[in-house]
Amino acid sequence: MGQLRAYHLDRDCFDKIRDRREAAGGLKAGVAAVSDSDMFKSLSTGKPSARNWNSHFSRETLSRLPCVIKQASGYLKQPGIISLGGGLPSSEYFPYAEISMRVPKPPHFSEQCVLSEEAEMAQTVTIGKYDVQKGLSEYDLSIALNYGQAMGSAQMMRFITEHTELVFNPPYADWQVCQTVGSTAALEQIIRMLCDRERGDSVLTEEYTFSTALSTIVPLGIKVVGVKMDEQGLLPDDMDRILTSWDDSKGVRKPHVLYTVPSGQNPTGATQGIDRRHAIYKVCQKHNIFIIEDEPYYFLQMPSYTGKAEPAEQKPDTVQDFVSGLVPSFISLDVDGRVLRMDSFSKVLIPGSRMGWVTASKQVIQQFVRLAEVANQGPSGLAQIMLWKLLDETWGHEGYLEWLMSLKKNYTRRRNMLLAACEEFLPRDLVTWTPPAAGMFLWLKVDHTKHPEFPQRGILEIEQDVFSNALENGVLCARGSWFRAEPHTAPSELFFRTTFAAATEDAMRTAIQRLSTAIREAFRCE
């Protein structure tokens, strides 16, 4: 595997997609249409095929067969066929004839622009019940509001496949995508696919990790093993040490799965650099580890913070500049097909859509679809058509990337505001931090050794004091102990997670002042 590099978009990449669509004669996909990424990808000449992952699948996965009723939907594309097979309700009984949405016109993405009545700033788009029949669109309410396939609608599958190829361009031939009902549900499916309680399976992750991931994995009877971290996140040398010295005789199998959040990691805010991702991938190849890459914050990568006097960040000139400036995804360097990448619209569009997608080898996606067929039957049709109308028919790929560029700029400003407040108010002899290069979180380290009653009082007691004081002072921060991968072991450090995602910029400044007071009170500072 060669040195990692950023992926570069061709200047005519969007024209190529339009030409490919035109050559295909448009998309004709009706109710419950079956689709996959092979229908929408460009030719993968010269790329290798992914490895076989049967040895990593759980017993449940290997025993699961396709849903026969879902498979029968494939016959609906036969011209002239009359279906008496599936229980698809008639669209004439759907009580929605039309939905209208006011959305921004790129590059005018601010809320003020969206609410504006000026035609050059925003527009009202309408979704009708029979737009396809009338030749007005490729997707309408009669299709979206009916039952669909577990991989989602063909219309959104096309957009997501094209987006994945544009931004990530996986280096093996047989990659595919599948829509999800959000990354939390997707993670639960993936863990069930890869891990068995009965065979004593375990999962590697960062020593501090997404608490909901822990709440997903642990009840399934899967042991979580924490890997040490630094300011760039997971340490490959420590992961290699754990795997090399693993002793199966203790009743837990050597891990064969890694769950990681590489960009703007939750909770630490750490972002793995290019060389770090390369090193982690090499360790996974050495020990045959399958990687679950959770990337909700991938597009929120920011320039380095240099101080509160830093000038406003300059927006990249083009979407090509934006994409080439991103740290490459694991899926972009995955020559083996050993990565399943999870993407989400929650952090970059609307959390309430409960929509995202996974990218992996065809073999892995086929198993994911089989489980989704009985677990959730795919994402909401209403959410899909709302996003498709915005992303595909209204903005297009270039407009969506421009939106992500704008979002990066806004989160950079918010991050800088929070960091400036920390520099102004927090006691620097007690609290330290590394400015995040992506995401929504700032990880504060509190020096517990300077507490007047340490070590008579433990880290968790001191953490509780700071947390309680913070609430009394009117600010809520997340306790670092909530995110520990191995909470049954004694903690060695004290952390709090803060976020710059939700509060107004003025409120963030006030919150940090209150947190500073809470820490000083807990440590009895004058």
Side-chain angles (χ1 to χ4, degrees):
M1 181 178 60
Q3 178 67 26
L4 301 188
R5 59 179 179 82
Y7 181 62
H8 295 279
L9 293 180
D10 294 334
R11 295 290 171 177
D12 60 348
C13 58
F14 306 114
D15 291 334
K16 289 179 179 177
I17 288 176
R18 285 187 283 268
D19 291 345
R20 194 160 72 236
R21 288 188 178 193
E22 186 175 342
L27 182 59
K28 299 176 178 63
V31 175
V34 178
S35 65
D36 63 37
S37 291
D38 289 342
M39 298 168 59
F40 310 118
K41 289 158 55 177
S42 61
L43 294 177
S44 300
T45 306
K47 290 184 176 181
S49 297
R51 293 183 52 176
N52 183 288
W53 297 102
N54 276 345
S55 62
H56 282 55
F57 288 148
S58 65
R59 185 183 308 170
E60 175 188 359
T61 299
L62 294 173
S63 66
R64 191 176 298 283
L65 300 174
C67 177
V68 291
I69 292 296
K70 291 292 185 182
Q71 282 189 308
S73 298
Y75 296 111
L76 294 176
K77 63 183 179 183
Q78 182 177 321
I81 195 166
I82 299 174
S83 175
L84 299 179
L88 303 174
S90 171
S91 60
E92 68 179 297
Y93 303 124
F94 300 164
Y96 294 92
E98 184 177 278
I99 295 174
S100 294
M101 306 179 295
R102 186 74 173 166
V103 299
K105 286 184 177 179
H108 307 292
F109 293 119
S110 71
E111 185 177 52
Q112 183 179 2
C113 292
V114 180
L115 298 176
S116 170
E117 295 298 323
E118 298 181 27
E120 69 273 13
M121 297 287 193
Q123 60 188 312
T124 299
V125 296
T126 301
I127 307 167
K129 193 172 189 178
Y130 298 111
D131 286 349
V132 173
Q133 181 180 314
K134 296 174 182 178
L136 300 175
S137 181
E138 295 177 327
Y139 198 18
D140 61 22
L141 294 177
S142 72
I143 298 170
L145 299 185
N146 216 315
Y147 284 113
Q149 294 292 331
M151 75 286 297
S153 68
Q155 291 82 354
M156 272 304 292
M157 282 287 291
R158 180 180 65 179
F159 181 86
I160 289 170
T161 298
E162 293 168 347
H163 172 81
T164 299
E165 191 167 46
L166 277 172
V167 179
F168 306 114
N169 192 24
Y172 63 94
D174 52 332
W175 62 271
Q176 293 198 348
V177 304
C178 177
Q179 293 180 71
T180 68
V181 294
S183 291
T184 299
L187 178 61
E188 194 267 345
Q189 286 182 222
I190 298 160
I191 295 299
R192 285 176 58 186
M193 284 171 52
L194 296 171
C195 298
D196 265 333
R197 178 199 301 259
E198 289 76 14
R199 67 185 183 192
D201 282 350
S202 58
V203 172
L204 292 165
T205 188
E206 292 89 348
E207 61 180 332
Y208 291 91
T209 191
F210 182 34
S211 58
T212 303
L214 297 173
S215 298
T216 301
I217 298 169
V218 173
L220 294 174
I222 309 304
K223 179 179 173 59
V224 178
V225 180
V227 180
K228 292 187 182 302
M229 306 173 68
D230 65 7
E231 67 279 357
Q232 283 195 52
L234 187 147
L235 287 166
D237 287 346
D238 190 57
M239 181 169 70
D240 187 39
R241 177 193 62 79
I242 291 170
L243 293 168
T244 300
S245 61
W246 193 269
D247 183 0
D248 281 343
S249 67
K250 295 182 179 179
V252 179
R253 276 179 87 221
K254 178 180 176 178
H256 66 284
V257 176
L258 167 67
Y259 168 76
T260 183
V261 184
S263 307
Q265 198 255 359
N266 186 358
T268 68
T271 295
Q272 298 167 11
I274 292 177
D275 292 337
R276 178 63 57 88
R277 297 184 194 213
H278 193 183
I280 291 170
Y281 191 85
K282 286 182 68 175
V283 173
C284 290
Q285 286 183 309
K286 175 182 176 181
H287 295 278
N288 203 19
I289 302 296
F290 191 91
I291 302 170
I292 303 171
E293 178 186 19
D294 190 359
E295 280 284 30
Y297 315 106
Y298 182 78
F299 292 103
L300 303 182
Q301 296 183 36
M302 309 171 197
S304 299
Y305 177 76
T306 58
K308 61 183 178 182
E310 177 182 358
E313 181 244 353
Q314 294 298 309
K315 184 177 179 181
D317 291 331
T318 66
V319 294
Q320 284 83 1
D321 295 332
F322 171 65
V323 171
S324 66
L326 298 170
V327 180
S329 164
F330 277 107
I331 203 75
S332 298
L333 62 101
D334 181 22
V335 294
D336 300 332
R338 71 172 62 251
V339 176
L340 182 145
R341 177 186 165 100
M342 298 196 299
D343 277 279
S344 173
F345 289 116
S346 292
K347 299 299 190 294
V348 295
L349 276 174
I350 47 175
S353 70
R354 302 316 307 140
M355 272 187 63
W357 72 95
V358 293
T359 306
S361 70
K362 182 175 183 177
Q363 179 197 24
V364 174
I365 292 297
Q366 284 178 338
Q367 295 294 347
F368 188 91
V369 169
R370 289 182 183 181
L371 180 50
E373 285 173 341
V374 295
N376 51 59
Q377 297 196 45
S380 159
L382 190 58
Q384 287 185 76
I385 198 167
M386 288 179 66
L387 290 185
W388 179 87
K389 194 74 174 184
L390 175 69
L391 299 177
D392 190 301
E393 194 171 89
T394 305
W395 285 356
H397 288 288
E398 189 168 11
Y400 180 47
L401 291 173
E402 289 177 354
W403 164 263
L404 295 173
M405 290 162 58
S406 174
L407 206 61
K408 165 190 171 179
K409 181 178 179 181
N410 285 317
Y411 275 103
T412 298
R413 187 187 69 252
R414 283 177 156 271
R415 178 204 64 177
N416 293 352
M417 178 71 73
L418 183 66
L419 288 169
C422 290
E423 291 174 351
E424 183 175 357
F425 297 114
L426 291 180
R428 299 300 294 272
D429 58 327
L430 294 177
V431 187
T432 56
W433 58 87
T434 298
M440 299 177 168
F441 303 111
L442 175 63
W443 189 236
L444 300 175
K445 181 178 180 180
V446 181
D447 188 351
H448 62 279
T449 66
K450 294 183 178 178
H451 191 279
E453 296 182 14
F454 180 83
Q456 288 75 25
R457 301 188 70 197
I459 291 176
L460 294 180
E461 288 183 89
I462 298 171
E463 181 192 64
Q464 178 63 58
D465 282 351
V466 175
F467 181 74
S468 299
N469 287 349
L471 290 177
E472 290 173 6
N473 280 279
V475 60
L476 174 63
C477 294
R479 297 172 61 169
S481 61
W482 293 347
F483 305 95
R484 296 184 65 230
E486 300 184 42
H488 54 281
T489 62
S492 60
E493 294 179 301
L494 174 57
F495 295 100
F496 285 90
R497 191 196 73 177
T498 61
T499 178
F500 45 91
T504 65
E505 292 168 17
D506 287 342
M508 282 193 286
R509 191 171 186 274
T510 300
I512 292 299
Q513 284 182 282
R514 294 174 177 178
L515 178 60
S516 177
T517 300
I519 293 171
R520 293 176 190 274
E521 288 175 351
F523 279 72
R524 300 170 195 169
C525 300
E526 294 184 2

